Structure formats: C-alpha cells, structure tokens
C-alpha cells in the first residue's frame, strides 16, 4: 500500500514534468524554435527564466501567475496542461501498472495532448507532430511483434501487432479521406474540415491498431456532436430562445430514456409504452426541426464548428481507459 502511494506520487511528479515539457513543445511549434534550445524565456519581455521559474505548477503559484521580471500575466493554461498530463499519466499507471506498455501509453497520451492543444488554441495541426505520433505506434508494435517472434509465439503475417498498427494507420487515413471527400462535396466545394484530421486519424490508427481505430472515429463523431450540441444550447440560452432550448433538451432526454428503456427491456413487456414513447420522441424531434428551420438556420450557426482533432483524441482516451 505504502509502495503504491509512493509510486503514485512519483508518477504524478513525472507527469507534471512531462506536462511542463508539453507546454514547451506546443509553444515552440508555433514559434518554430527548437524544443531543446534556447532556454525558456518570457514570451513578452524575452528575459531567460531562472531555474525556479520552471517548476511545474509550483512556479505558477510562487510567481502568483505573473512573469518575475515584467509582471505580465501568465496564462492559466500552462498549469492546467501540466495538471491534466499528470492526472492522465497517473490514471494509466493505476490501470496498467509499471511496464513497457505503460511507457508507450504515456507517449500516446503526450502526443495526443500536444495535437489536441495546438488544434484547440490555433486550429492548427502540425504534420511533424502526427508523424512522430504515428512513428511511436509503429515502432512500439514492431518491437512487440519482434519479442513475440523471439519467444516463439505463433504469429501470421496478418495477425500480429505490427500488421494491426500498419492497417490501423491505413484504415484511419482511408475513413477520414472518404469523410473529407463527402463533406467537401456536400459543402459545395468548400473545405468543411482540415486535412490535419486525416493525419491525426492515421497516427491514432498506428497507435491503437486496426480494430480500435473504427471505434475511435465513430466515438469521435459522437463526442463532437455532443460538444456542438452543448455549445448550441448555451448560445440559445444567451439569445433567450427558450422554446428551442427546451425542445432540444427534451429530445436529448427522451433519446437517453429510449436507450435505457431498451437496455432494461421495458419495451418488450409493454407495447403501448413503446408506441407512446416513440410518438413523443418523434413529435418533439419534429417540433425542434421546425423551430430550427424557422429561426436559426442560415443566420447564426457559424462559429459553432468544433475542431474534430480533439474529439478524436478524447475518443482515444475513452478507448484506452474504458476498454471500449
Ligand atoms: Zn516577462
């Protein structure tokens, strides 16, 4: 027990350090500087930082969220990224234990966060990051396949970790490329999504393998739809459009209720319940669609575009931690 607590604290500290490094990787991707040189400096006054300005979380608190030299406000995003990295590192350790697999998962978590953060902050996906991410997946699975072969485990050319990784990369690319093409045509020849999403899906495919990349992409769409829905509802509240807000909320609740009723077999016992429920759900949905067509479409739906990259990354985490 005590060993477990000590190990957990060690993992948290490791995670914080990597979170701090992650901030550097993201910042220097934008500025185009090397990640190892020069030493960290204040982005405003350019003064090089002292060593004690670089301690994850602690420095932010010690400095009161301001630059030591010029007192410029330091973004809360830096300590937040450090904390999120540390927590994900710890969760992976608690779930998978200390092993070579854990080191691989930490690398996956690290690269996933780098890509999600650049996408959220500036709507940019760096090819270099996706390339490194894909390489991590391919190398790890090549190593795992090599070890299996050395141990005399029977493997076929299709059924081994490396093939799964390569196929995952290819599938991820093909699915997103198809989606890219369809949305391009549907948007009337305009770019409806960034091609960065294709590279993200390929990297995730290389890391998670051919079976899980499908789940990740479907889950990614669901997560994106959910986030967009929540943002849309928030905007409706701001605009005091309570009819549409309530309508969408009702559809969401009824849909969840439908799923639960189905899962627990309530419909099988009672046909009238099923009929009533279905009519209520469809009726509310039609009401919402009419409200949508009348008031919102074409006027204020812009600016609601949620980048797909972070949704994909999040879907990957769900698959990693919940064995989906
Ligand atoms: Zn400064």
């Amino acid at each position: 027990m005590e060993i477990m607590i000590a190990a957990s604290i060690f993992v948290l500290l490791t995670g914080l350090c990597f979170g701090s490094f992650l901030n550097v990787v993201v910042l220097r991707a934008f500025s185009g500087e090397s990640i190892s040189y020069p030493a960290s400096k204040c982005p405003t006054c350019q003064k090089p930082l002292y060593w004690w300005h670089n301690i994850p979380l602690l420095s932010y608190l010690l400095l009161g969220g301001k630059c030591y030299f010029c007192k410029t406000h330091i973004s809360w995003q830096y300590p937040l990224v450090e904390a999120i990295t540390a927590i994900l590192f710890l969760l992976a350790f608690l779930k998978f234990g200390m092993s070579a697999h854990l080191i691989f998962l930490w690398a996956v978590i690290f690269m996933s966060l780098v890509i999600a953060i650049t996408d959220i902050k500036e709507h940019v996906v760096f090819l270099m990051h996706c390339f490194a991410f894909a390489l991590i997946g391919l190398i790890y699975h090549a190593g795992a396949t090599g070890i299996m072969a050395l141990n005399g485990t029977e493997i076929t050319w299709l059924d081994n970790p490396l093939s799964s990784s390569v196929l995952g990369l290819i599938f991820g690319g093909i699915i997103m490329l198809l989606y890219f093409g369809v949305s391009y045509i549907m948007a009337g020849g305009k770019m409806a999504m960034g091609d960065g999403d294709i590279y993200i899906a390929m990297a995730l495919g290389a890391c998670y393998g051919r079976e899980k990349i499908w789940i990740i992409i479907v889950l990614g769409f669901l997560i994106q739809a959910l986030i967009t829905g929540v943002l849309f509802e928030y905007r409706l509240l701001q605009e005091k459009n309570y009819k549409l807000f309530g309508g969408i909320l009702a559809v969401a609740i009824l849909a969840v209720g439908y799923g639960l009723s189905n899962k627990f077999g309530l419909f099988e016992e009672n046909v009238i319940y099923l009929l009533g429920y279905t009519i209520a759900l469809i009726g509310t949905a039609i009401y919402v669609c009419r409200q949508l067509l009348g008031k919102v479409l074409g006027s204020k739906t812009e600016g609601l575009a949620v980048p797909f990259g972070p949704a994909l990354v999040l879907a990957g985490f769900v698959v990693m931690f919940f064995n989906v």
Side-chain angles (χ1 to χ4, degrees), residues 41-47 49 66-74:
K41 56 186 195 251
C42 166
T44 309
C45 66
Q46 305 292 328
K47 286 222 172 77
L49 304 182
K66 292 190 191 102
C67 169
Y68 178 70
F69 305 105
C70 67
K71 306 294 171 201
T72 305
H73 178 73
I74 305 168

Side-chain angles (χ1 to χ4, degrees), residues 69 98 111 113 124 126 154 179 205 233 235 250 252 278 293 297:
F69 305 105
M98 197 53 86
M111 288 316 298
L113 288 176
V124 179
F126 291 94
E154 209 171 302
Y179 173 66
E233 283 284 82
R235 175 170 300 185
T278 310
L293 286 171
L297 263 191

